[in-house]
Amino acid sequence: MLSKQKVITLGFQHVLAMYAGAVVVPMIIGAALKLTPAQIAYLIAADLFTCGIATLLQVIGTRFTGIRLPVVLGCTFTAVGPIIAIASTSNLATAYGAIIISGIFVVLAAPLFGKLLKFFPTVVQGSVVTIIGLSLIPVAMNNAAGGQDSPDFGQPSNLLLALGTLIIILLVNRFATGFVRAISVLLGLIAGTVAGYMMGIVHFGSVVEASWFSVVKPFYFGVPEFSVVAIITMILVNIISMAESTGVYFALGKTTNKEVSNEDVVKGLRGEGVAIVLGGIFNAFPYTAFSQNVGLVQLSGIKSRDVMIGAGGILVVLGLLPKLAALTTVIPNAVLGGAMIAMFGMVVASGINILSQVDLRQNENLLIAACSIAVGLGSAAVPGMFEQLPTMLKMLLQNGIVTGSLTAVVLNLVLVHWNKNLKQALVENNQTVSEAS
């Protein structure tokens, strides 16, 4: 049983692991829509607050909702483009109306999605988890270089910071034991940030300017408005998130040695749908299970749900205390990138471990793993290949996790299920012929 101090410390480590991904979405959307600094600050606060509520709903769970696994929910990057497009052509109230309705759709569609689990055997699960990890590696490397499109991208100082952070994490994992080993990522982030401060690249201006307290208000940007096109767009976004989250559930199940059942997935997706509805009400964003925290669970070896409850509580507090939230933003991108390399690499390793349980000497299994990973990684690495397609189709196919998952499921259907049914039909036909003769 972990003490309260350890739960809070380990929970804070999970918050730092997902923090950049959580705050960058409101920052991008706010800048694209030319919102005022006060409005952007509200978006960030609302997002953190709702992230915390969504995580608690998912981890604690009820009879009907919540996967009850050590999972952290954060806003999905897939929604960034659609939200900007909807708000630019109409307004933010229309975007939030679409988010609310799409969340209700996820709650209602969860049982149907759960029935598809029979198409996710071990070879498909291993391929999907591997794709999730591989598709995240470019994010880690971009951060390690200083952050995509940053003026100091690729500077030696950034590369050294990332390398130093990674080395500290590895050394702590190699030589420390127990609790210290479990917080290796947190120690790496702290050491990297201190080094960044000594190098003059850590600034506390945003902390000084941030207010001490802020209350998240429902419908801050106005009463929700509804558009059929906007609603369909957000439903498509959340179908993609459902596929991503299902892969994360499988990865967490393998990491925590828990068999993820049909009912578990349905309850998890229902919880996600409720979180999306809350995101629309509090003017935040659609939510999905964050992959980076899966790697952290495996790296730290701490699989307790109490830690995630602690993380959810910390996110809620950060959403109410902007000054504390701003304090975590001073961590340099390069330091985050160094930590991400270890965490995302662990997701890849987890996928490979799952695939090791599959007989890859069977040609069907080998083709499923090879083609799905190639398609998923290719879509993530070269999204421009789909630029000439219609917007809806382009949004779907530019997500490597979705294309890889669909490839794995379809190939499993064609090469395994249909092949088995064909063989069974031939056997039954031969038996009928023999009996007739």
Side-chain angles (χ1 to χ4, degrees), residues 113-165:
F113 208 85
K115 290 179 180 179
L116 301 178
L117 282 186
K118 60 184 177 181
F119 302 119
F120 283 81
T122 305
V123 64
V124 174
Q125 293 178 29
S127 300
V128 170
V129 174
T130 304
I131 293 163
I132 290 174
L134 289 174
S135 64
L136 290 170
I137 295 299
V139 177
M141 301 311 286
N142 274 318
N143 275 281
Q148 194 167 13
D149 300 326
S150 65
D152 63 343
F153 186 86
Q155 287 289 333
S157 57
N158 288 328
L159 303 181
L160 285 172
L161 266 181
L163 178 61
T165 302

Side-chain angles (χ1 to χ4, degrees), residues 10 17 19 22 24 84 110 130 167 212 261 268 290 301 335 370-371 429 431:
L10 291 165
Y19 194 85
V24 74
I84 291 172
T130 304
I167 289 174
W212 276 106
S261 67
F290 261 21
V335 173
C371 293
N429 184 57
Q431 288 176 344

Side-chain angles (χ1 to χ4, degrees), residues 271-319:
E272 198 165 295
V274 172
I276 294 167
V277 172
L278 288 176
I281 291 173
F282 288 108
N283 295 135
F285 308 96
Y287 290 98
T288 189
F290 261 21
S291 307
Q292 50 264 55
N293 293 86
V294 179
L296 183 52
V297 170
Q298 190 163 6
L299 191 62
S300 67
I302 302 296
K303 304 168 185 178
S304 170
R305 290 190 298 128
D306 290 343
V307 171
M308 296 308 184
I309 293 172
I314 291 169
L315 285 168
V316 170
V317 171
L318 289 177

